[in-house]
Amino acid sequence: LMAVTMFTVPIMLIPKPLVKFMQHKARVRELERATGRKGAAVDPSCVLPLQDEESLSPGSIDDFGCDDAEPWDFGEVVIHQVIETIEYVLGTVSHTASYLRLWALSLAHQQLSVVFFSMTLVSGMGAPFPLNVIAIYLAFAVWFAVTVAILLGMDTMECFLHTLRLHWVEFQSKFYRGDGYLFTPFR
């Protein structure tokens, strides 16, 4: 698992900034071709939307708001990708720890089952013959009540926690982005 992680982290870090850099260079070339200016005469910080050549005329370049555009910075793209990669790795560790928590609950469930069985039914079976029938009958009632009350309660809590974890931890970390847009539900 660690070898796969060590292999995938560079794959997550490197391609996206390079693709964004190549897209930016293509936009700058398109802007140069549309305006007829080359090199330093074209503001490389202008983020020009990709369009077909017929819709780009020298007069339409001002419609893109190139003077008001934020400068494009390769370092900012790399830093953003590093942050996303760190969030992904931490999320993966968090999901694994969450599953370990569920495993610990099931292990505690198994150990409690052994303790309840040995404290109730086994002690009832240790009585001499005439009393063991009544002792087993009473011990079974106690064992059944404890099993229903505690172990099934733990099972219900375990199912609830697993569902809550799937919805709030995994689902939200995969699809939710706090980009500042107002939530509008489906209608």
Side-chain angles (χ1 to χ4, degrees):
L1 184 63
M2 287 303 292
V4 171
T5 303
M6 298 303 272
F7 176 71
T8 58
V9 166
I11 291 174
M12 291 175 62
L13 281 173
I14 298 169
K16 186 174 179 180
L18 291 178
V19 167
K20 291 222 179 240
F21 179 73
M22 288 187 281
Q23 286 176 344
H24 176 70
K25 287 297 182 186
R27 288 178 180 153
V28 168
R29 281 192 301 268
E30 189 174 344
L31 182 63
E32 288 175 346
R33 193 172 55 245
T35 60
R37 294 181 285 181
K38 297 282 183 194
V42 176
D43 183 11
S45 67
C46 177
V47 180
L48 184 67
L50 293 174
Q51 296 183 3
D52 56 352
E53 289 184 34
E54 291 81 27
S55 65
L56 285 177
S57 62
S60 68
I61 298 302
D62 298 331
D63 297 336
F64 293 121
C66 292
D67 295 334
D68 299 333
E70 291 184 20
W72 190 88
D73 186 16
F74 182 70
E76 185 176 324
V77 174
V78 170
I79 289 172
H80 182 72
Q81 188 62 26
V82 167
I83 290 170
E84 282 190 9
T85 303
I86 290 171
E87 285 178 355
Y88 176 78
V89 170
L90 289 177
T92 303
V93 170
S94 171
H95 298 332
T96 304
S98 187
Y99 277 110
L100 288 175
R101 193 175 316 121
L102 289 173
W103 173 75
L105 274 174
S106 65
L107 183 65
H109 176 93
Q110 187 269 338
Q111 288 299 313
L112 281 174
S113 298
V114 170
V115 168
F116 293 154
F117 181 77
S118 65
M119 296 294 285
T120 57
L121 287 175
V122 172
S123 65
M125 289 178 199
F129 171 64
L131 293 174
N132 70 351
V133 174
I134 297 170
I136 289 175
Y137 182 75
L138 293 175
F140 178 78
V142 170
W143 173 82
F144 185 76
V146 167
T147 298
V148 168
I150 295 177
L151 295 180
L152 290 180
M154 279 183 64
D155 282 342
T156 305
M157 181 183 69
E158 187 175 339
C159 292
F160 169 75
L161 288 176
H162 186 62
T163 305
L164 188 68
R165 186 192 63 76
L166 284 174
H167 279 87
W168 287 101
V169 176
E170 287 193 17
F171 180 80
Q172 293 293 345
S173 68
K174 287 188 187 335
F175 302 111
Y176 174 76
R177 293 211 185 259
D179 292 336
Y181 296 106
L182 182 64
F183 174 72
T184 53
F186 295 118
R187 293 179 189 224

